[in-house]
Amino acid sequence: MAIAELDTEAPGTVDGRQLRAVAFHQVRMEYVDGVLTRTGTAPGGLRAAVLGGGRGTVALGLARLGMDVVSVDPSPAATAMARAAVADAGLPVEARTAPAEAPGLPEGGFDLVYVADTFEVTGDLDAVAASAARLLAPRGILVYDTVNRTWVSRLIYLGAFQAVPMTRIMPAGRYARERLRPPAEVEAALAAHGLRVEDVCSFKPTRALDLVTAALARRGGRIGDEEVPEKVEFVLDPEGAPVVTYLGYARGAAG
């Protein structure tokens, strides 16, 4: 079985963060497209920033929609892999190494900020919310995804993904109960920095068993990261309460 380790392509390892990135990619982009439509925003030429950009999957997706993107991540290894992916794709993405809490990007410089894989791992939610709010231009849009704090999410993220040897895809300590974020907690953190949440949307696998099967196959080396989306499909569930994962977007009070 593969060793769970972040931000590496070494043989015999599995990077759960990248697995989530490829598995969630389609539903993340579908949600962004819906937000742009709802807000009457054309993607072409928008300036976008991704906080927690990892290997660049989200940033490249936004660039394919027509945006100019800066992606920041605290891991130098992830940044290097993002730069390689950008070079291969030939898209307008700049990858930098920086934490979401202090990305070092221009205040008010972005029409869209996407916070990925961050709210549920940061120990300072307020600092990330403040950082994202500062980056937004007037009428800018903040999009985020995170993990709710429910008994089901704890079973999956603290148990199956992090503690159970057979299905482990994350190193120990990546997630903790207190860092899983109920929607109201995120809404309050953003409101403290002048952002109003306008939508929360659950997303989930069409079949929960497919998620387990894909994790087992990847850990066993029977499939690669790029094959994960073929094994497990995630769909938006706008009418359902967020049981595990959810997306949302927010704007300034005058937006």
Side-chain angles (χ1 to χ4, degrees), residues 125-195:
L125 178 62
D126 181 74
V128 176
S131 172
R134 284 194 299 269
L135 296 180
L136 283 175
R139 302 186 61 79
I141 301 168
L142 172 70
V143 180
Y144 58 91
D145 60 73
T146 193
V147 182
N148 200 357
R149 187 189 304 139
T150 65
W151 72 266
V152 179
S153 66
R154 295 198 301 272
L155 183 67
I156 294 171
Y157 276 81
L158 305 185
F161 285 173
Q162 193 168 266
V164 178
M166 185 175 293
T167 55
R168 182 186 298 138
I169 59 172
M170 294 288 186
R174 173 70 175 174
Y175 301 107
R177 182 188 183 281
E178 65 274 11
R179 296 198 302 268
L180 303 182
R181 307 296 184 181
E185 189 172 301
V186 173
E187 183 173 357
L190 295 175
H193 298 282
L195 297 178

Side-chain angles (χ1 to χ4, degrees), residues 2-222:
I3 298 170
E5 188 173 337
L6 300 182
D7 308 324
T8 180
E9 296 178 302
T13 61
V14 57
D15 180 352
R17 184 159 76 132
Q18 179 63 7
L19 286 186
R20 292 175 82 248
V22 297
F24 293 174
H25 185 64
Q26 182 175 345
V27 77
R28 282 168 161 171
M29 293 301 105
E30 181 182 345
Y31 186 75
V32 168
D33 186 64
V35 169
L36 295 176
T37 299
R38 184 183 302 188
T39 59
T41 306
L46 291 184
R47 300 159 299 168
V50 181
L51 304 184
R55 301 188 193 183
T57 305
V58 171
L60 288 168
L62 298 180
R64 289 187 178 99
L65 293 177
M67 302 182 200
D68 295 318
V69 190
V70 178
S71 179
V72 300
D73 193 87
S75 165
T79 303
M81 286 186 277
R83 288 173 179 159
V86 168
D88 287 342
L91 291 169
V93 176
E94 178 187 357
R96 302 184 182 183
T97 301
E101 295 83 351
L105 299 176
E107 295 189 11
F110 299 93
D111 306 296
L112 184 142
V113 174
Y114 193 115
V115 182
D117 297 333
T118 299
F119 286 160
E120 68 271 20
V121 299
T122 182
D124 194 343
L125 178 62
D126 181 74
V128 176
S131 172
R134 284 194 299 269
L135 296 180
L136 283 175
R139 302 186 61 79
I141 301 168
L142 172 70
V143 180
Y144 58 91
D145 60 73
T146 193
V147 182
N148 200 357
R149 187 189 304 139
T150 65
W151 72 266
V152 179
S153 66
R154 295 198 301 272
L155 183 67
I156 294 171
Y157 276 81
L158 305 185
F161 285 173
Q162 193 168 266
V164 178
M166 185 175 293
T167 55
R168 182 186 298 138
I169 59 172
M170 294 288 186
R174 173 70 175 174
Y175 301 107
R177 182 188 183 281
E178 65 274 11
R179 296 198 302 268
L180 303 182
R181 307 296 184 181
E185 189 172 301
V186 173
E187 183 173 357
L190 295 175
H193 298 282
L195 297 178
R196 180 184 63 241
V197 172
E198 298 196 351
D199 179 65
V200 170
C201 180
S202 172
F203 67 100
K204 61 185 181 180
T206 53
R207 293 197 334 137
L209 182 59
D210 289 345
L211 182 60
V212 177
T213 301
L216 288 170
R218 180 62 187 85
R219 275 192 56 79
R222 295 187 296 278

Side-chain angles (χ1 to χ4, degrees), residues 19 22 214 218 221-232:
L19 286 186
V22 297
R218 180 62 187 85
R222 295 187 296 278
I223 62 173
D225 293 343
E226 67 282 353
E227 297 169 87
V228 170
E230 301 172 6
K231 303 297 182 182
V232 54

